[in-house]
Amino acid sequence: MTTLPQFSRTFLHPRYWLSWLGIAVLWLVVQLPYPVLVAFGRQLGKLAMRLLPRRVEIARRNLALCFPDMRAEAREALLRRNFESVGMGVLETGMAWFWPTWRVRQCFSVTGYEHMARAREHGRGVVLVGMHFLTLEMGARMFGMLNPGIGVYRPNNNALLDWLQTRGRLRANKTMLDRFDLKGMIRALKQNEILWYAPDHDYGKTNSVFVPFFAVPDAATTAGSYMLVKSANPAVIPFVPRRKADGSGYELLILEDISQSLQGADKETVATRMNQAIEHAIMQAPEQYMWLHRRFKTRPAGHENLYAQNKAKAVAPTTADSPLADRSSPQP
């Protein structure tokens, strides 16, 4: 059972004053016109590359592992665009939490809504596969304005920020469930709710299987998707909240329902098919994905640590072309 955080007088204690200052600054900044926010976000991302060298190396390593056939210079260009998106993602969090509904509504368009409409016409619950794009907060807000649903989340360690993020996410959605509340998720799907669920992080060996993810053959992938599909027979619809290349706002890409390919399959097959769907979604905006987390930190017994200090230099540059190598125009 998930208990959502409530505002507490303890948040007025001096230990939270620095957090309140950061919140106030973010609120003020996101009142600026959107083109200014795009330019500021890019510069913030460039600054992050200088201030967060460890995260840069993790992102660089992930790109090398996932796209070994991409030219080294193309990967570096993608890395730079990705960190520009990291900076923008910080501002988009504030936009999602603080912008009024009218301002959010005028900044996005929708493609593929017929896939969601079809699932709702048949009265099915929906697992909305929401990958960890840097635009995920805006994506949740925008999709909730179309169809309010239920989000699956990890509580923030800072109690004030936990309350704030929950408050922000519920501006357009019904409620939130802790990522470990599997019973609550299944119950919601059986009640034909829309459940925002992100299976694309490494959650450790417990309840995970090792299946391919891009060019990594043994990535730890949650088996939670299998339990949801087996228990509730929902529609399974990936979506991508993609920042538009022209700086005019966002496009919600709602992709095809993949549930038919998951029914009756075992854990490994379900996890593999989900990863394939996630890969396809990521390729719609690879520079906007959250490459800076250690996606491959959990390894099968006896396998090497892919993030050891000397490993980042172990992938030799290649001159082979890649589908990403031609994406030379950075997105905002």
Side-chain angles (χ1 to χ4, degrees), residues 189-214:
L189 291 172
K190 287 184 175 180
Q191 294 171 349
N192 299 331
E193 295 284 1
I194 298 172
L195 185 76
W196 187 98
Y197 180 73
D200 60 327
H201 269 194
D202 183 336
Y203 296 114
K205 291 183 178 179
T206 303
N207 296 321
S208 290
V209 292
F210 291 97
V211 296
F213 185 68
F214 283 108

mmCIF file of all heavy atoms in Angstrom, residues 189-214:
data_model
loop_
_atom_site.group_PDB
_atom_site.id
_atom_site.type_symbol
_atom_site.label_atom_id
_atom_site.label_comp_id
_atom_site.label_asym_id
_atom_site.label_seq_id
_atom_site.Cartn_x
_atom_site.Cartn_y
_atom_site.Cartn_z
ATOM 1 N N LEU A 189 -4.588 -1.904 -12.888
ATOM 2 C CA LEU A 189 -4.788 -2.375 -14.266
ATOM 3 C C LEU A 189 -6.084 -3.167 -14.403
ATOM 4 O O LEU A 189 -6.792 -3.053 -15.410
ATOM 5 C CB LEU A 189 -3.591 -3.227 -14.705
ATOM 6 C CG LEU A 189 -2.282 -2.464 -14.904
ATOM 7 C CD1 LEU A 189 -1.130 -3.423 -15.153
ATOM 8 C CD2 LEU A 189 -2.397 -1.477 -16.069
ATOM 9 N N LYS A 190 -6.419 -3.961 -13.394
ATOM 10 C CA LYS A 190 -7.673 -4.722 -13.442
ATOM 11 C C LYS A 190 -8.888 -3.803 -13.353
ATOM 12 O O LYS A 190 -9.991 -4.182 -13.766
ATOM 13 C CB LYS A 190 -7.696 -5.755 -12.313
ATOM 14 C CG LYS A 190 -6.750 -6.931 -12.558
ATOM 15 C CD LYS A 190 -6.875 -7.984 -11.474
ATOM 16 C CE LYS A 190 -6.020 -9.212 -11.808
ATOM 17 N NZ LYS A 190 -6.113 -10.260 -10.765
ATOM 18 N N GLN A 191 -8.659 -2.594 -12.835
ATOM 19 C CA GLN A 191 -9.727 -1.586 -12.794
ATOM 20 C C GLN A 191 -9.700 -0.702 -14.043
ATOM 21 O O GLN A 191 -10.324 0.343 -14.083
ATOM 22 C CB GLN A 191 -9.588 -0.741 -11.529
ATOM 23 C CG GLN A 191 -9.827 -1.524 -10.243
ATOM 24 C CD GLN A 191 -9.480 -0.745 -8.982
ATOM 25 O OE1 GLN A 191 -8.870 0.324 -9.048
ATOM 26 N NE2 GLN A 191 -9.858 -1.281 -7.830
ATOM 27 N N ASN A 192 -8.935 -1.162 -15.061
ATOM 28 C CA ASN A 192 -8.862 -0.497 -16.372
ATOM 29 C C ASN A 192 -8.240 0.896 -16.306
ATOM 30 O O ASN A 192 -8.600 1.785 -17.086
ATOM 31 C CB ASN A 192 -10.246 -0.436 -17.031
ATOM 32 C CG ASN A 192 -10.831 -1.817 -17.286
ATOM 33 O OD1 ASN A 192 -10.091 -2.785 -17.486
ATOM 34 N ND2 ASN A 192 -12.152 -1.919 -17.254
ATOM 35 N N GLU A 193 -7.296 1.067 -15.374
ATOM 36 C CA GLU A 193 -6.587 2.334 -15.279
ATOM 37 C C GLU A 193 -5.384 2.348 -16.231
ATOM 38 O O GLU A 193 -4.960 1.310 -16.753
ATOM 39 C CB GLU A 193 -6.092 2.562 -13.853
ATOM 40 C CG GLU A 193 -7.195 2.713 -12.819
ATOM 41 C CD GLU A 193 -7.875 4.070 -12.876
ATOM 42 O OE1 GLU A 193 -7.515 4.895 -13.736
ATOM 43 O OE2 GLU A 193 -8.781 4.306 -12.054
ATOM 44 N N ILE A 194 -4.847 3.545 -16.437
ATOM 45 C CA ILE A 194 -3.594 3.716 -17.176
ATOM 46 C C ILE A 194 -2.466 3.795 -16.158
ATOM 47 O O ILE A 194 -2.508 4.629 -15.249
ATOM 48 C CB ILE A 194 -3.628 4.992 -18.030
ATOM 49 C CG1 ILE A 194 -4.752 4.904 -19.066
ATOM 50 C CG2 ILE A 194 -2.280 5.216 -18.718
ATOM 51 C CD1 ILE A 194 -4.978 6.200 -19.819
ATOM 52 N N LEU A 195 -1.477 2.945 -16.296
ATOM 53 C CA LEU A 195 -0.370 2.867 -15.343
ATOM 54 C C LEU A 195 0.933 3.261 -16.040
ATOM 55 O O LEU A 195 1.408 2.556 -16.931
ATOM 56 C CB LEU A 195 -0.258 1.447 -14.790
ATOM 57 C CG LEU A 195 0.788 1.228 -13.687
ATOM 58 C CD1 LEU A 195 0.269 1.784 -12.362
ATOM 59 C CD2 LEU A 195 1.124 -0.253 -13.541
ATOM 60 N N TRP A 196 1.501 4.414 -15.637
ATOM 61 C CA TRP A 196 2.806 4.840 -16.166
ATOM 62 C C TRP A 196 3.882 4.004 -15.487
ATOM 63 O O TRP A 196 4.027 4.035 -14.271
ATOM 64 C CB TRP A 196 3.018 6.326 -15.886
ATOM 65 C CG TRP A 196 4.241 6.938 -16.520
ATOM 66 C CD1 TRP A 196 4.280 7.651 -17.682
ATOM 67 C CD2 TRP A 196 5.579 6.910 -16.021
ATOM 68 N NE1 TRP A 196 5.569 8.058 -17.937
ATOM 69 C CE2 TRP A 196 6.384 7.609 -16.943
ATOM 70 C CE3 TRP A 196 6.186 6.337 -14.899
ATOM 71 C CZ2 TRP A 196 7.751 7.767 -16.762
ATOM 72 C CZ3 TRP A 196 7.551 6.484 -14.726
ATOM 73 C CH2 TRP A 196 8.322 7.207 -15.642
ATOM 74 N N TYR A 197 4.645 3.245 -16.288
ATOM 75 C CA TYR A 197 5.593 2.276 -15.740
ATOM 76 C C TYR A 197 6.880 2.328 -16.552
ATOM 77 O O TYR A 197 6.850 2.258 -17.787
ATOM 78 C CB TYR A 197 4.969 0.882 -15.812
ATOM 79 C CG TYR A 197 5.835 -0.246 -15.283
ATOM 80 C CD1 TYR A 197 6.047 -0.403 -13.929
ATOM 81 C CD2 TYR A 197 6.416 -1.159 -16.160
ATOM 82 C CE1 TYR A 197 6.819 -1.450 -13.443
ATOM 83 C CE2 TYR A 197 7.194 -2.213 -15.684
ATOM 84 C CZ TYR A 197 7.389 -2.349 -14.337
ATOM 85 O OH TYR A 197 8.164 -3.387 -13.859
ATOM 86 N N ALA A 198 8.017 2.472 -15.870
ATOM 87 C CA ALA A 198 9.310 2.597 -16.547
ATOM 88 C C ALA A 198 10.193 1.392 -16.221
ATOM 89 O O ALA A 198 10.767 1.321 -15.130
ATOM 90 C CB ALA A 198 10.001 3.887 -16.116
ATOM 91 N N PRO A 199 10.330 0.434 -17.139
ATOM 92 C CA PRO A 199 11.115 -0.772 -16.872
ATOM 93 C C PRO A 199 12.556 -0.709 -17.368
ATOM 94 O O PRO A 199 13.224 -1.736 -17.439
ATOM 95 C CB PRO A 199 10.336 -1.836 -17.663
ATOM 96 C CG PRO A 199 9.826 -1.090 -18.850
ATOM 97 C CD PRO A 199 9.566 0.326 -18.393
ATOM 98 N N ASP A 200 13.055 0.481 -17.703
ATOM 99 C CA ASP A 200 14.319 0.572 -18.427
ATOM 100 C C ASP A 200 15.529 0.889 -17.561
ATOM 101 O O ASP A 200 16.611 1.119 -18.086
ATOM 102 C CB ASP A 200 14.215 1.621 -19.533
ATOM 103 C CG ASP A 200 13.889 3.010 -19.001
ATOM 104 O OD1 ASP A 200 13.174 3.108 -17.993
ATOM 105 O OD2 ASP A 200 14.347 3.994 -19.606
ATOM 106 N N HIS A 201 15.403 0.906 -16.235
ATOM 107 C CA HIS A 201 16.562 1.082 -15.358
ATOM 108 C C HIS A 201 17.033 -0.259 -14.813
ATOM 109 O O HIS A 201 16.324 -1.268 -14.888
ATOM 110 C CB HIS A 201 16.221 2.024 -14.200
ATOM 111 C CG HIS A 201 16.528 3.458 -14.500
ATOM 112 N ND1 HIS A 201 16.569 4.442 -13.533
ATOM 113 C CD2 HIS A 201 16.826 4.079 -15.655
ATOM 114 C CE1 HIS A 201 16.872 5.601 -14.078
ATOM 115 N NE2 HIS A 201 17.020 5.409 -15.369
ATOM 116 N N ASP A 202 18.237 -0.263 -14.266
ATOM 117 C CA ASP A 202 18.801 -1.444 -13.615
ATOM 118 C C ASP A 202 18.354 -1.426 -12.155
ATOM 119 O O ASP A 202 18.772 -0.583 -11.375
ATOM 120 C CB ASP A 202 20.330 -1.383 -13.716
ATOM 121 C CG ASP A 202 21.025 -2.609 -13.136
ATOM 122 O OD1 ASP A 202 20.423 -3.280 -12.276
ATOM 123 O OD2 ASP A 202 22.162 -2.893 -13.541
ATOM 124 N N TYR A 203 17.485 -2.371 -11.781
ATOM 125 C CA TYR A 203 16.956 -2.422 -10.423
ATOM 126 C C TYR A 203 17.588 -3.526 -9.584
ATOM 127 O O TYR A 203 17.046 -3.924 -8.553
ATOM 128 C CB TYR A 203 15.433 -2.613 -10.468
ATOM 129 C CG TYR A 203 14.706 -1.444 -11.110
ATOM 130 C CD1 TYR A 203 14.022 -1.600 -12.310
ATOM 131 C CD2 TYR A 203 14.716 -0.186 -10.520
ATOM 132 C CE1 TYR A 203 13.363 -0.529 -12.902
ATOM 133 C CE2 TYR A 203 14.062 0.886 -11.100
ATOM 134 C CZ TYR A 203 13.382 0.709 -12.286
ATOM 135 O OH TYR A 203 12.732 1.770 -12.873
ATOM 136 N N GLY A 204 18.754 -4.046 -10.042
ATOM 137 C CA GLY A 204 19.439 -5.072 -9.274
ATOM 138 C C GLY A 204 19.005 -6.481 -9.667
ATOM 139 O O GLY A 204 18.123 -6.683 -10.497
ATOM 140 N N LYS A 205 19.639 -7.482 -9.047
ATOM 141 C CA LYS A 205 19.392 -8.868 -9.419
ATOM 142 C C LYS A 205 18.028 -9.377 -8.971
ATOM 143 O O LYS A 205 17.443 -10.260 -9.609
ATOM 144 C CB LYS A 205 20.485 -9.765 -8.837
ATOM 145 C CG LYS A 205 21.852 -9.577 -9.472
ATOM 146 C CD LYS A 205 22.871 -10.551 -8.908
ATOM 147 C CE LYS A 205 24.226 -10.369 -9.591
ATOM 148 N NZ LYS A 205 25.252 -11.307 -9.045
ATOM 149 N N THR A 206 17.523 -8.861 -7.859
ATOM 150 C CA THR A 206 16.248 -9.346 -7.338
ATOM 151 C C THR A 206 15.135 -9.071 -8.341
ATOM 152 O O THR A 206 14.948 -7.948 -8.789
ATOM 153 C CB THR A 206 15.913 -8.664 -6.000
ATOM 154 O OG1 THR A 206 16.986 -8.902 -5.081
ATOM 155 C CG2 THR A 206 14.632 -9.236 -5.421
ATOM 156 N N ASN A 207 14.419 -10.129 -8.717
ATOM 157 C CA ASN A 207 13.298 -10.021 -9.660
ATOM 158 C C ASN A 207 13.714 -9.441 -11.006
ATOM 159 O O ASN A 207 12.939 -8.741 -11.665
ATOM 160 C CB ASN A 207 12.165 -9.174 -9.064
ATOM 161 C CG ASN A 207 11.543 -9.813 -7.839
ATOM 162 O OD1 ASN A 207 11.371 -11.024 -7.793
ATOM 163 N ND2 ASN A 207 11.215 -9.004 -6.839
ATOM 164 N N SER A 208 14.947 -9.729 -11.424
ATOM 165 C CA SER A 208 15.419 -9.315 -12.737
ATOM 166 C C SER A 208 15.898 -10.527 -13.524
ATOM 167 O O SER A 208 16.206 -11.569 -12.954
ATOM 168 C CB SER A 208 16.573 -8.304 -12.618
ATOM 169 O OG SER A 208 16.123 -7.057 -12.137
ATOM 170 N N VAL A 209 15.925 -10.379 -14.841
ATOM 171 C CA VAL A 209 16.503 -11.398 -15.715
ATOM 172 C C VAL A 209 17.546 -10.714 -16.586
ATOM 173 O O VAL A 209 17.503 -9.493 -16.789
ATOM 174 C CB VAL A 209 15.423 -12.064 -16.597
ATOM 175 C CG1 VAL A 209 14.475 -12.891 -15.746
ATOM 176 C CG2 VAL A 209 14.651 -11.038 -17.410
ATOM 177 N N PHE A 210 18.496 -11.483 -17.101
ATOM 178 C CA PHE A 210 19.548 -10.933 -17.956
ATOM 179 C C PHE A 210 19.207 -11.204 -19.412
ATOM 180 O O PHE A 210 19.214 -12.358 -19.864
ATOM 181 C CB PHE A 210 20.902 -11.528 -17.584
ATOM 182 C CG PHE A 210 21.407 -11.074 -16.243
ATOM 183 C CD1 PHE A 210 21.224 -11.859 -15.116
ATOM 184 C CD2 PHE A 210 22.052 -9.859 -16.099
ATOM 185 C CE1 PHE A 210 21.678 -11.452 -13.871
ATOM 186 C CE2 PHE A 210 22.511 -9.430 -14.856
ATOM 187 C CZ PHE A 210 22.328 -10.225 -13.739
ATOM 188 N N VAL A 211 18.897 -10.142 -20.126
ATOM 189 C CA VAL A 211 18.517 -10.240 -21.536
ATOM 190 C C VAL A 211 19.181 -9.094 -22.294
ATOM 191 O O VAL A 211 19.678 -8.143 -21.691
ATOM 192 C CB VAL A 211 16.983 -10.186 -21.704
ATOM 193 C CG1 VAL A 211 16.311 -11.383 -21.042
ATOM 194 C CG2 VAL A 211 16.415 -8.880 -21.142
ATOM 195 N N PRO A 212 19.190 -9.138 -23.638
ATOM 196 C CA PRO A 212 19.888 -8.090 -24.407
ATOM 197 C C PRO A 212 19.223 -6.724 -24.303
ATOM 198 O O PRO A 212 18.005 -6.600 -24.212
ATOM 199 C CB PRO A 212 19.797 -8.624 -25.853
ATOM 200 C CG PRO A 212 19.570 -10.083 -25.724
ATOM 201 C CD PRO A 212 18.740 -10.246 -24.487
ATOM 202 N N PHE A 213 20.092 -5.712 -24.316
ATOM 203 C CA PHE A 213 19.643 -4.326 -24.426
ATOM 204 C C PHE A 213 20.634 -3.622 -25.334
ATOM 205 O O PHE A 213 21.816 -3.477 -24.990
ATOM 206 C CB PHE A 213 19.591 -3.653 -23.059
ATOM 207 C CG PHE A 213 19.029 -2.247 -23.098
ATOM 208 C CD1 PHE A 213 17.694 -2.028 -23.394
ATOM 209 C CD2 PHE A 213 19.835 -1.146 -22.827
ATOM 210 C CE1 PHE A 213 17.172 -0.741 -23.422
ATOM 211 C CE2 PHE A 213 19.323 0.148 -22.856
ATOM 212 C CZ PHE A 213 17.983 0.352 -23.160
ATOM 213 N N PHE A 214 20.194 -3.217 -26.530
ATOM 214 C CA PHE A 214 21.083 -2.748 -27.578
ATOM 215 C C PHE A 214 22.188 -3.793 -27.781
ATOM 216 O O PHE A 214 21.876 -4.973 -27.949
ATOM 217 C CB PHE A 214 21.623 -1.354 -27.269
ATOM 218 C CG PHE A 214 20.618 -0.255 -27.523
ATOM 219 C CD1 PHE A 214 20.025 0.427 -26.471
ATOM 220 C CD2 PHE A 214 20.253 0.084 -28.813
ATOM 221 C CE1 PHE A 214 19.083 1.432 -26.710
ATOM 222 C CE2 PHE A 214 19.317 1.086 -29.062
ATOM 223 C CZ PHE A 214 18.730 1.757 -28.005
#
